[in-house]
Amino acid sequence: MHDYQRDFLALALERQALRFGEFKLKSGRVSPYFFNAGLFNDGASLARLGRCYAAALAASGLAFDQLFGPAYKGIPLVAACATAYAEHHGRNLPWAFNRKEAKDHGEAGLIVGSPLQGRVVIVDDVITAGTAVRESIELIRSLGAQPVAVALALDRQERGLGAQSAVQEVASRFGLRCVSILTLNGLIEALAAPGRAARGPGQLAALRAYREQYGVAD
């Protein structure tokens, strides 16, 4: 496990953005864990999160030119990632986000920030149904740029309606690479490490059972 993954896990636990128990999902499944990126809701936690995104992208070796955040959750995430990239990886990346509704006055249009061009990475928290990502892909392509990847905080590695996860469906359908700070497999590995088991063997067993029932291969 990389340092940025350890820091992300520590941050998610500190801010209770990652919780364990029984959580009923929109799909009707009862999950033994729940992730809510909205709880990274202060400057310090958002700065740390941005560093984790930037480190994951830098470690991926992916070639890209710009960052894009889908409204609304992706807006603070893309800003934090771009800031961290400039401060810690020496690269000043242009970034942008979309409006939910186009403005017809002043600075008109759907895009706020740098004009979309070149190879674009979409920065989001998780992919569930994949609707926001699909809309982002269509928007980026319509403006003449090329979406090349999605950067996520957490990949649940969980089947959707078919055999693939939502992340895998997006990757295979649109030819995009998915770069995640942490995956369910990585979470289980981290919790199984010496010193982490003290969080409770039942918790780890529940995660493994859920993966066995609903998980997908890497």
Side-chain angles (χ1 to χ4, degrees):
M1 179 171 269
H2 298 287
D3 287 344
Y4 69 83
Q5 293 173 313
R6 294 189 189 93
D7 189 43
F8 172 74
L9 179 55
L11 174 64
L13 293 172
E14 287 168 18
R15 302 305 169 109
Q16 296 188 349
L18 179 63
R19 292 182 291 153
F20 301 96
E22 290 190 354
F23 304 92
K24 189 168 184 179
L25 306 179
K26 188 181 290 187
S27 63
R29 296 172 183 171
V30 178
S31 172
Y33 73 106
F34 188 75
F35 177 69
N36 179 8
L39 293 176
F40 300 121
N41 53 15
D42 56 41
S45 61
L46 188 60
R48 280 177 69 183
L49 180 61
R51 290 195 293 271
C52 293
Y53 272 108
L57 280 171
S60 74
L62 179 72
F64 65 97
D65 305 302
Q66 184 169 357
L67 301 171
F68 174 82
Y72 291 103
K73 282 187 178 180
I75 297 173
L77 300 180
V78 71
C81 180
T83 301
Y85 228 104
E87 291 183 345
H88 299 279
H89 300 277
R91 188 175 177 198
N92 186 23
L93 288 163
W95 64 277
F97 62 90
N98 64 303
R99 293 186 173 98
K100 285 286 189 180
E101 296 178 359
K103 243 176 118 178
D104 59 3
H105 62 280
E107 192 181 6
L110 279 172
I111 299 299
V112 180
S114 179
L116 291 174
Q117 54 189 349
R119 298 160 297 184
V120 181
V121 173
I122 300 164
V123 183
D124 211 344
D125 55 350
V126 296
I127 293 180
T128 49
T131 305
V133 170
R134 282 191 286 270
E135 290 175 352
S136 297
I137 291 168
E138 291 169 4
L139 176 60
I140 292 165
R141 287 178 174 170
S142 73
L143 294 173
Q146 178 190 1
V148 294
V150 182
L152 303 172
L154 179 67
D155 179 359
R156 290 182 62 96
Q157 296 181 305
E158 183 175 325
R159 290 196 311 274
L161 296 177
Q164 291 184 314
S165 71
V167 170
Q168 289 174 331
E169 288 171 358
V170 166
S172 61
R173 179 178 175 185
F174 298 103
L176 269 65
R177 184 169 168 189
C178 289
V179 177
S180 301
I181 300 173
L182 193 65
T183 64
L184 175 59
N185 287 341
L187 173 61
I188 290 173
E189 178 186 339
L191 293 177
R196 285 284 186 185
R199 298 188 63 84
Q203 175 190 96
L204 191 56
L207 286 168
R208 285 172 168 157
Y210 191 78
R211 179 177 63 180
E212 180 68 24
Q213 186 173 5
Y214 298 116
V216 294
D218 285 324

